[in-house]
Amino acid sequence: MSPSDALAPPPDGDVNKGQMLLTTSIVTTIIALLSLLLRCLVRTRIVNVFGWDDVAMCFGVVLAMVEMPMFILQVRYGMGRHLYYLEKSPDFVLVVKYADLCEPFVILTTTFVKASLCLFLLRIVEGMKVHRMFLWGMVAITLTINAAAAISIFTQCHPQEKLWDPNIPGDCPGRDAKSVLAFLQTSWAILSDLLLAGSPMLLFWRLRIPYATKVIICCLMGLALL
């Protein structure tokens, strides 16, 4: 029995929200690209310091742009429809295919963005040993877990095409390992977001600046939790 067989027909019928998803994704990608261009302009023309944090952010945005064609193909073949209808479509395999191909790039994008933030904070906490060890630990753990999760996507099935087409002969001995790594990667992503949002607060709270200024800065840093 397929998952859609256990689902009740959606009350609003066969509605496709793919264009809304695609528009949102394109807009956010354009904003990220413009922000990166402005960042590079300031770092190279005004500050004259282009660091490893900037390099990592460039990789992150480039990978996000690589994702976009695959996301467009997902929407073209039906992503945005309810699973009740989508799974009955002949293009369902193609939606799953491009979703699977896109997933490693999504993981690596967040990896480089978080590494960029950690490298940026490392420049601020120069001379603070505990803070530096914490940030380097964040980078190492994030790279290890996310790289393992990304690799597991392509190694779970033999042949690889069986990952998105269950009708192809073969087996998927790595699915259990991939599920464990996916759970671990998601859990660490949430925890690292909380830690990276909170660590700057602790750092700025120790600065000798007016109390009101500390509160404002900490609130701005806490926006990352959203």
Side-chain angles (χ1 to χ4, degrees), residues 16-31 64-81 102:
N16 192 339
K17 297 184 179 180
Q19 288 301 318
M20 180 181 67
L21 295 172
L22 182 59
T23 300
T24 302
S25 183
I26 290 175
V27 170
T28 53
T29 301
I30 291 174
I31 292 174
M65 294 178 66
V66 172
E67 298 168 25
M68 189 53 58
M70 288 179 281
F71 188 77
I72 292 173
L73 289 172
Q74 290 176 62
V75 173
R76 175 185 177 185
Y77 290 117
M79 183 179 179
R81 297 174 64 194
C102 188

Side-chain angles (χ1 to χ4, degrees), residues 31-172:
I31 292 174
L33 179 59
L34 292 176
S35 299
L36 177 66
L37 293 175
L38 289 173
R39 173 177 179 157
C40 292
L41 179 64
V42 171
R43 299 286 288 173
T44 55
R45 297 296 181 87
I46 299 176
V47 182
N48 292 323
V49 178
F50 195 82
W52 286 109
D53 54 329
D54 303 302
V55 174
M57 187 60 72
C58 288
F59 274 111
V61 174
V62 168
L63 287 170
M65 294 178 66
V66 172
E67 298 168 25
M68 189 53 58
M70 288 179 281
F71 188 77
I72 292 173
L73 289 172
Q74 290 176 62
V75 173
R76 175 185 177 185
Y77 290 117
M79 183 179 179
R81 297 174 64 194
H82 194 280
L83 182 61
Y84 179 84
Y85 299 103
L86 180 59
E87 196 176 45
K88 295 178 173 64
S89 168
D91 293 328
F92 178 65
V93 171
L94 293 174
V95 176
V96 177
K97 174 182 177 179
Y98 289 112
D100 288 333
L101 293 176
C102 188
E103 188 176 356
F105 293 98
V106 175
I107 295 173
L108 293 176
T109 296
T110 59
T111 302
F112 280 106
V113 171
K114 287 186 179 180
S116 175
L117 178 55
C118 289
L119 293 171
F120 169 73
L121 293 174
L122 278 165
R123 293 195 287 113
I124 297 177
V125 297
E126 189 71 35
M128 303 173 67
K129 185 176 180 180
V130 175
H131 285 77
R132 293 182 66 81
M133 290 176 61
F134 166 76
L135 291 170
W136 277 120
M138 290 282 291
V139 172
I141 295 173
T142 300
L143 287 174
T144 302
I145 293 178
N146 288 6
I151 292 172
S152 70
I153 295 171
F154 294 126
T155 58
Q156 58 183 306
C157 290
H158 306 286
Q160 186 176 315
E161 290 78 8
K162 189 173 177 59
L163 178 61
W164 51 79
D165 189 352
N167 296 318
I168 292 178
D171 60 344
C172 295

Side-chain angles (χ1 to χ4, degrees), residues 132-217:
R132 293 182 66 81
M133 290 176 61
F134 166 76
L135 291 170
W136 277 120
M138 290 282 291
V139 172
I141 295 173
T142 300
L143 287 174
T144 302
I145 293 178
N146 288 6
I151 292 172
S152 70
I153 295 171
F154 294 126
T155 58
Q156 58 183 306
C157 290
H158 306 286
Q160 186 176 315
E161 290 78 8
K162 189 173 177 59
L163 178 61
W164 51 79
D165 189 352
N167 296 318
I168 292 178
D171 60 344
C172 295
R175 271 202 171 135
D176 290 340
K178 192 266 180 183
S179 298
V180 172
L181 284 170
F183 177 80
L184 180 62
Q185 190 269 332
T186 303
S187 301
W188 174 250
I190 296 172
L191 178 60
S192 60
D193 283 343
L194 294 173
L195 293 173
L196 286 176
S199 58
M201 297 183 193
L202 297 176
L203 173 63
F204 288 114
W205 195 257
R206 298 174 59 183
L207 297 179
R208 295 181 179 179
I209 56 178
Y211 179 81
T213 305
K214 290 182 181 180
V215 173
I216 293 174
I217 293 176

